[in-house]
Structures are given as C-alpha cells and as structure tokens.
Amino acid sequence: TAPGREGRAMIRAGAGVLTELRTQDSAALRRWINDARTTRFNAPWRPVAPSAHEAWFESVGRDPAKVALAIRAAPDGPALGVVQLLDIHPVHRSAQLTIRIGDEADRGKGYGVDALTGALDFAWRDLNLRRVWLHVFADNDRAIRAYARAGFAREGLLRGSAWIDGAWRDEIVMAVLRPDPPRQT
C-alpha cells in the first residue's frame, strides 16, 4: 500500500487504485447489491433493506477475516466497484475473493483485471497469504476470462450448486497460488 492524497492509503491497480471504503460509497454499494440483474452474475438476489446494508457497511473493517476495498479510477474518484478478501485464514494463509464492478458502463474497461491484480499483490505482500480462491458461474465467460488474465486457474466444477433466477447453475472453482520468490544467487 502507498499513501494517497490526504494521507489515505491506496493500492495502485493498473490505471486505477484500490482504497478503503468511504462513507460516500455506501449509497452506490447499496444500489449495486439491490440490482437483481447485476447480483445474479455471482449470487442469488434478494433485496437488502437499508438497515441491513448500514449494519454491514458499519462493520466493514472490524473483522480481521475480511478486507473490502473500493475500486476507483482515481484516488479521489467515486467507487466503480468493490473487491473483497473473505474468510482470511491465518493458518492456511488463504482467502476467498469476490469482486463486483457496479455499473455496466464501467465493465469491460480493464478495471476488474487491474483490481484483481492489485488485490492479489496486497494478499501476497501485506497479508502474507499463499492461496486465493473464488467461485464463478460456469456461464460467466467475461468473468472467467478476467480471472484467468489475473492468474487464476480452474480447479474444479460444482455441478448444479446454485439456484439462481429459477434454475440450477454450475460453478467453477478457480484459485491462484502465491508466486515463488525469485532465487537469490
């Protein structure tokens, strides 16, 4: 991480940055989680009440097993998405990754791959993780390509594992292992 403007911490992520979630991000995050079409890319949808969202937002940062980072084009810009490391396990040195680019207009511009790369660098360097994994719907080709570009490899298939929008969907498990450090000669 590197200090940004106003002393804020940020992680360079290609052309963009990853930062802490800020109070002004809350409304966008609530809008994204309540967008059924977007949510169904990676989870079953159900409406999230304002009080439940506020409780979640207030709890971000308190749980050492979770890290949530806003994806931004610029350090002072609005959040374009969020990337999270969940279930951070200190013994196994592993975590699950989730990512969402909130608005369709911001997808397909490289923010996701850059955010994945920045989050993995953070996971290796700052959290000392060894393995980061995720699951993705088998028919989400755009996400699968982005994960592969960031270094994730397919590990398995969970057949009929998710009931989404009235149908059973398969999920692919993908993971990336921390690269071995270069040998000192």
Side-chain angles (χ1 to χ4, degrees):
T1 58
R5 293 184 191 184
E6 303 167 15
R8 292 180 172 163
M10 66 178 194
I11 300 165
R12 296 256 177 234
V17 296
L18 303 177
T19 72
E20 78 285 356
L21 292 179
R22 300 174 185 154
T23 304
Q24 63 266 30
D25 300 330
S26 181
L29 270 66
R30 182 166 177 267
R31 186 177 76 250
W32 299 336
I33 198 67
N34 278 306
D35 177 350
R37 189 167 157 251
T38 298
T39 300
R40 287 181 178 130
F41 280 127
N42 62 354
W45 177 79
R46 72 175 106 186
V48 176
S51 59
H53 173 74
E54 288 169 19
W56 172 83
F57 194 83
E58 290 293 320
S59 73
V60 171
R62 290 190 200 141
D63 184 347
K66 297 178 184 176
V67 174
L69 301 164
I71 303 166
R72 303 178 195 282
D76 295 330
L80 305 175
V82 64
V83 61
Q84 298 183 83
L85 293 167
L86 307 171
D87 301 321
I88 298 169
H89 198 288
V91 174
H92 302 308
R93 294 175 44 211
S94 65
Q96 178 183 3
L97 182 140
T98 67
I99 186 170
R100 175 170 295 159
I101 302 296
D103 295 322
E104 181 62 38
D106 295 320
R107 296 184 196 131
K109 296 182 177 180
Y111 294 120
V113 173
D114 287 348
L116 290 166
T117 303
L120 289 173
D121 184 56
F122 173 74
W124 309 149
R125 186 180 51 202
D126 296 300
L127 300 179
N128 195 30
L129 296 182
R130 182 176 182 278
R131 181 176 191 276
V132 174
W133 68 277
L134 58 85
H135 57 89
V136 57
F137 291 131
D139 60 352
N140 191 342
D141 295 328
R142 181 164 57 180
I144 293 167
R145 285 191 307 272
Y147 297 139
R149 281 194 303 270
F152 285 84
R154 181 178 168 150
E155 291 191 333
L157 177 68
L158 304 173
R159 295 178 300 143
S161 62
W163 178 256
I164 305 294
D165 202 19
W168 289 105
R169 307 231 342 242
D170 295 344
E171 293 179 280
I172 294 173
V173 177
M174 300 180 79
V176 60
L177 298 178
R178 180 184 188 147
D180 291 329
R183 295 186 125 189
Q184 301 287 329
T185 55

